[in-house]
Amino acid sequence: MTGETYLGKIQNMTRTMQNVVFVRGKKSFNNSEMRMLEEIVAADKKGERLISTELADKVGVTRSAISQMVNRLSAKGLVKRVPDDVDKKIAYIELDGKAKEMYLAQRKKMGEVINDFGVDKANQMIKLVEEFSDSVYRNVR
C-alpha cells in the first residue's frame, strides 16, 4: 500500500471512531466540547480540578470559547462552575450529575465492547496504535 492509501484508511478509521456514540441518544458535543469534557475527566481521575484558563490551554481554544462551552454544557446539566473555598474569584469546572451518569454508562459500554472484541486483542491494538502515534509524532514535527 502507498502512503496515500494508509493516510486515507487512517483518516477513515479516526472519523469512524469520533462518531461512535456509546450511550443511546444523539451525539450532542462538538469536538472542542468533547476535548474539554475529556480534560475534566482526566483531571478528576488524578484528583485535580481545572479552571477555565487551564482548560483553554489544554483544549487549545480561548478562555472566551471555554466560557461559551461551559455555558452551553451547564444549561444541559453536564458541567458546573464550583467556586474555590478560599478565593471566590476562582471557579473550577467540573462534571455535573448528568455527565457523570453518561460517563459511567459509556465506561460500562466500552467494557462490553472490549469483552466482545477480546482483552488481549484490545491490549495489542492499543500498544500498536501508541507505537504508531509515536512514530507519526517523530516524523511530522
Side-chain angles (χ1 to χ4, degrees):
M1 276 196 258
T2 67
E4 181 178 356
T5 304
Y6 280 114
L7 182 59
K9 287 183 176 293
I10 290 167
Q11 287 171 336
N12 285 336
M13 181 178 61
T14 302
R15 200 174 305 111
T16 299
M17 290 305 294
Q18 286 177 338
N19 290 322
V20 171
V21 178
F22 287 100
V23 292
R24 298 222 185 278
K26 185 179 172 191
K27 182 178 177 183
S28 57
F29 308 119
N30 64 39
N31 286 339
S32 295
E33 290 169 340
M34 198 61 163
R35 286 272 301 120
M36 183 181 80
L37 291 170
E38 289 168 354
E39 291 296 341
I40 294 169
V41 168
D44 186 57
K45 283 183 177 180
K46 293 187 255 180
E48 299 172 356
R49 300 165 84 191
L50 298 172
I51 59 174
S52 48
T53 303
E54 294 166 326
L55 278 170
D57 289 343
K58 289 179 180 295
V59 176
V61 298
T62 64
R63 277 188 346 166
S64 174
I66 289 292
S67 182
Q68 291 172 6
M69 285 188 277
V70 168
N71 289 340
R72 265 193 313 273
L73 297 178
S74 180
K76 294 178 182 181
L78 299 174
V79 298
K80 60 185 174 183
R81 290 180 174 91
V82 179
D84 185 73
D85 293 334
V86 177
D87 186 348
K88 299 298 180 193
K89 291 184 231 171
I90 295 175
Y92 298 101
I93 312 302
E94 298 180 357
L95 294 183
D96 209 346
K98 187 176 179 182
K100 286 180 183 177
E101 289 173 23
M102 290 173 70
Y103 176 74
L104 291 173
Q106 201 169 357
R107 189 173 72 181
K108 180 180 180 210
K109 186 55 76 175
M110 178 54 77
E112 294 169 8
V113 169
I114 296 302
N115 285 334
D116 180 58
F117 182 66
V119 173
D120 289 340
K121 287 191 328 188
N123 288 333
Q124 182 181 12
M125 178 195 66
I126 289 167
K127 182 178 182 276
L128 289 171
V129 169
E130 288 171 346
E131 289 175 14
F132 182 77
S133 296
D134 289 345
S135 180
V136 168
Y137 180 76
R138 281 193 308 275
N139 286 284
V140 296
R141 50 180 169 134

